[in-house]
Amino acid sequence: VKGFRIGIRPDGSSYLHAGRHGIYYREELGGRRKNYQTRPTLQDYSTNNVTFYNNVTSREVKSNYQKELVQALTQSYQSFRFDYLAAIISILIVIIWLCYKNTLCIMYGCSPSLYNIVLIILIILGIFSTIYVAGWERHRRGISLIYNFEGDNFESYKKIIFAFNKIASCKLLKGIISATYLSDSYLSKINAGASTLTDSTPAYAGSGRMPWTNTNITTPLISACGRSYYFMPDGLFIFDSQGVACVNYLDIDIECHTTRFIEDDAPSDAQIVDYTWQYANKNGGPDGRFNNNYRLPICLYGVLSLKVRGKEILHIITSNADAPAEFKKAMNYYKLYVQNIKSKYSTIKHL
């Protein structure tokens, strides 16, 4: 048919065209495709742009070092909690009594006053039975750790505690979960010009005691990303959902450096090295197309990383940029003495 044709455009859409002598008919087939330009999101990035941290479990770094002690700690840490069972049974008994009070009173001829007395007795018995079982659990699981230092060993361990206190005194501590590199300029623009976005959780540094243990020393503790790290004199003990592990300090590689972090509010002990804008241009200035575009401080933070046989077991940032370097210095000094540390432990059993 003269004047009739079906065409396909470069974008894949098709159309129908017909007509002669100045009268034409044209219709889109399937609708004209619009060429939308979508902005990339973080979900569009592959794992090649993401670096994961703190994802090594205690099971992955287990060794024969302090094997007997680790087995005892694991048994105490992961065995069934009978005190929880006692509390649950006590609560269920009280609930059953409350739910079936009328039936029980009619069945056994109880008066309301007697019912209340029985209820009080059940509550008291539940509390005391739970407390008793909890005490029995402490004896059943309890482990006593006694450390004897020789020569300058205690002074070298004190250096670790002093350096650790600087980390513990930081106004901000974060455990880094992952870091995503922003290769797209738009994502960088709407994130204050940052080149990397981090996923982190608050971390804790201070003194603590390993679960179900008694000891004669103060133990430095770092809790980050669901794991607890106890810096004991004879090794680093790691507790997590997978169990317990002990790492010899001689097998630990300590790395530290500084990094720049964009914050909404700068911690009081952080060094502010520059400023940026919530929506920044390529030259670092404010993008006038966005309302409420406010200035943000760029802080200099410290980074502490611990690795065992090439596997990173801890990665945290500190608001005090010098704290990780001082801790690394103290730990390297302590490694010279760690082989001479003597420890003795005993497991307390309830018979």
Side-chain angles (χ1 to χ4, degrees):
V1 178
K2 292 185 178 181
F4 177 83
R5 69 176 181 272
I6 296 176
I8 299 177
R9 296 187 181 88
D11 64 358
S13 63
S14 56
Y15 63 92
L16 181 148
H17 180 90
R20 292 184 66 184
H21 308 296
I23 301 176
Y24 299 96
Y25 172 78
R26 190 183 186 98
E27 181 179 350
E28 302 292 337
L29 299 179
R32 180 72 178 269
R33 295 185 184 179
K34 295 183 179 180
N35 186 20
Y36 291 107
Q37 183 178 2
T38 59
R39 294 292 188 180
T41 63
L42 287 180
Q43 287 74 17
D44 297 327
Y45 282 84
S46 67
T47 54
N48 294 330
N49 290 346
V50 182
T51 303
F52 294 96
Y53 302 94
N54 292 316
N55 60 347
V56 177
T57 66
S58 60
R59 184 176 297 176
E60 296 178 68
V61 295
K62 274 188 177 180
S63 65
N64 291 326
Y65 183 69
Q66 295 282 34
K67 185 176 181 179
E68 186 180 353
L69 176 57
V70 169
Q71 288 177 345
L73 289 171
T74 302
Q75 183 179 3
S76 294
Y77 182 59
Q78 294 188 323
S79 59
F80 184 77
R81 295 287 299 267
F82 287 99
D83 52 343
Y84 289 174
L85 179 61
I88 292 172
I89 292 175
S90 300
I91 293 172
L92 288 176
I93 291 175
V94 172
I95 292 175
I96 291 172
W97 182 256
L98 289 172
C99 292
Y100 296 95
K101 60 179 181 179
N102 294 330
T103 303
L104 293 173
C105 286
I106 295 173
M107 183 181 299
Y108 297 102
C110 299
S111 63
S113 59
L114 181 59
Y115 159 78
N116 292 330
I117 292 174
V118 173
L119 178 61
I120 293 173
I121 292 174
L122 289 175
I123 293 174
I124 294 175
L125 287 176
I127 294 174
F128 277 96
S129 62
T130 302
I131 293 175
Y132 175 80
V133 176
W136 175 78
E137 279 283 7
R138 285 194 295 271
H139 285 283
R140 183 174 73 93
R141 298 166 179 262
I143 295 177
S144 178
L145 277 169
I146 306 299
Y147 288 91
N148 298 315
F149 294 89
E150 299 176 358
D152 295 332
N153 293 338
F154 183 66
E155 293 301 320
S156 61
Y157 186 66
K158 283 172 61 177
K159 290 179 184 286
I160 291 181
I161 295 177
F162 292 148
F164 185 86
N165 286 340
K166 195 157 188 177
I167 293 179
S169 64
C170 289
K171 302 299 182 182
L172 181 143
L173 282 173
K174 291 182 179 181
I176 304 301
I177 299 174
S178 64
T180 304
Y181 173 67
L182 303 181
S183 58
D184 180 78
S185 60
Y186 174 76
L187 285 176
S188 179
K189 176 191 291 290
I190 64 175
N191 287 282
S195 60
T196 305
L197 287 184
T198 59
D199 183 16
S200 62
T201 59
Y204 167 81
S207 60
R209 181 181 297 175
M210 291 191 297
W212 307 105
T213 63
N214 291 309
T215 184
N216 61 331
I217 61 168
T218 300
T219 306
L221 161 68
I222 293 179
S223 294
C225 302
R227 296 180 183 85
S228 296
Y229 305 82
Y230 297 89
F231 293 82
M232 305 297 287
D234 51 346
L236 175 63
F237 288 81
I238 305 172
F239 285 73
D240 61 16
S241 59
Q242 301 295 316
V244 184
C246 180
V247 181
N248 193 329
Y249 287 125
L250 299 178
D251 296 331
I252 297 177
D253 295 322
I254 305 174
E255 298 178 3
C256 62
H257 59 274
T258 58
T259 185
R260 291 156 61 97
F261 233 83
I262 302 172
E263 293 283 9
D264 292 330
D265 295 306
S268 58
D269 60 342
Q271 178 185 353
I272 299 176
V273 294
D274 204 350
Y275 288 90
T276 185
W277 297 87
Q278 176 64 34
Y279 303 103
N281 287 321
K282 291 183 178 180
N283 60 4
D287 191 332
R289 296 175 298 174
F290 293 88
N291 295 326
N292 300 322
N293 194 2
Y294 49 91
R295 196 169 72 155
L296 301 174
I298 300 177
C299 303
L300 186 68
Y301 287 165
V303 179
L304 177 65
S305 172
L306 303 183
K307 293 182 178 181
V308 177
R309 299 185 293 274
K311 298 178 180 179
E312 189 172 48
I313 59 174
L314 178 64
H315 190 100
I316 62 172
I317 63 172
T318 63
S319 54
N320 186 328
D322 298 328
E326 293 190 19
F327 183 73
K328 177 182 178 180
K329 181 179 178 181
M331 284 295 299
N332 288 337
Y333 180 79
Y334 183 68
K335 286 182 179 182
L336 300 175
Y337 298 90
V338 71
Q339 290 179 316
N340 299 321
I341 300 296
K342 304 295 182 182
S343 65
K344 180 175 65 176
Y345 81 93
S346 59
T347 303
I348 305 173
K349 297 288 186 181
H350 179 78
L351 303 177

